[in-house]
Amino acid sequence: MLSSSTGRRILRDRPRITSKTMSLEMLRKLPENSVGRTYASWLDREGVGPDTRSAVKYIDNEECAYVMQRYRECHDFYHALTGLPVIVEGEVALKAFEFANTLLPMTALSMFAVTRLKASERSRFWNTYLPWALTSGLESKEIINVYWEEELSRDVDDLRKELGIARPPDLRNVRKLEKEQRRLSKEKQAQMNG
């Protein structure tokens, strides 16, 4: 963060992202494709809020503790920006993106959750979401240096373009289509057997 003028400003100002500092009602009233409205819509769809992040513990250095707190509080903006849902598969994909982008070691460790995925989900992660995460994470600007509070009214697509972040395939739609294909396959099999 120190190598970025915006990052240095964030470190100096120490903004926090909580329901007290960021009105979800106000964000919901912003234009449809704005960063703030996209964030609020994503929170609503996923059933989470800005206060679901626990406080950082066990870090003695005040500045390092703030950086980790800021990272945690910005995590849902990363979800909203990429469209990845709060399910294990979406979290693992986002952690891979975060690692490629920020090089925070804990994000790499979080990727071990890939072992919890079903075989089809692991395959989708290795073949679709990991390549997207590595490419997008490495090629985009450092997202930890985004002053989200100043970007709320901005068009989200413009911000993605400026940061160099391509959206991955919509994971919820991909899963829905695969579920429908399995259902149709079962019905077809049942007709052939019956």
Side-chain angles (χ1 to χ4, degrees):
M1 292 180 81
L2 292 173
S3 64
S4 160
S5 60
T6 303
R8 287 190 301 275
R9 214 160 39 83
I10 292 168
L11 288 173
R12 185 185 64 241
D13 298 348
R14 302 240 171 140
R16 297 290 308 275
I17 298 172
T18 69
S19 59
K20 291 179 180 152
T21 62
M22 194 168 291
S23 165
L24 290 178
E25 285 305 312
M26 184 272 301
L27 296 178
R28 289 180 186 113
K29 293 176 183 174
L30 289 172
E32 182 129 356
N33 207 46
S34 66
V35 171
R37 177 92 172 260
T38 300
Y39 171 69
S41 297
W42 184 88
L43 291 174
D44 292 342
R45 183 176 57 250
E46 298 298 326
V48 295
D51 298 323
T52 56
R53 302 284 168 220
S54 59
V56 169
K57 298 177 185 175
Y58 314 114
I59 299 179
D60 295 331
N61 180 287
E62 186 181 330
E63 186 167 82
C64 289
Y66 174 75
V67 170
M68 291 311 301
Q69 189 67 41
R70 179 72 177 176
Y71 160 74
R72 285 182 178 181
E73 291 174 2
C74 293
H75 178 79
D76 289 337
F77 272 101
Y78 309 159
H79 270 291
L81 204 60
T82 62
L84 290 166
V86 180
I87 54 177
V88 175
E89 192 175 358
E91 290 291 348
V92 173
L94 188 60
K95 290 298 181 183
F97 168 82
E98 289 173 347
F99 178 68
N101 186 267
T102 67
L103 299 179
L104 288 171
M106 67 176 201
T107 58
L109 292 173
S110 298
M111 288 172 34
F112 282 106
V114 74
T115 60
R116 294 181 51 206
L117 299 177
K118 297 174 186 173
S120 63
E121 294 169 340
R122 273 194 311 275
S123 175
R124 188 167 43 238
F125 174 75
W126 295 120
N127 296 314
T128 303
Y129 291 94
L130 182 61
W132 163 81
L134 294 177
T135 301
S136 197
L138 289 170
E139 293 179 356
S140 62
K141 293 180 181 176
E142 292 181 344
I143 55 174
I144 193 110
N145 291 323
V146 175
Y147 211 133
W148 296 102
E149 297 84 346
E150 296 175 354
E151 301 291 345
L152 299 174
S153 298
R154 185 170 180 188
D155 184 90
V156 72
D157 293 325
D158 290 346
L159 181 60
R160 284 185 191 111
K161 185 176 180 178
E162 179 184 311
L163 294 173
I165 297 174
R167 289 186 74 181
D170 185 317
L171 185 54
R172 287 208 184 274
N173 284 342
V174 168
R175 290 168 59 103
K176 188 186 297 184
L177 287 171
E178 287 183 2
K179 185 177 181 179
E180 179 64 14
Q181 288 172 344
R182 283 192 304 272
R183 185 188 67 75
L184 291 172
S185 178
K186 283 181 184 179
E187 283 179 7
K188 187 175 181 180
Q189 189 66 32
Q191 288 175 353
M192 290 173 59
N193 292 336

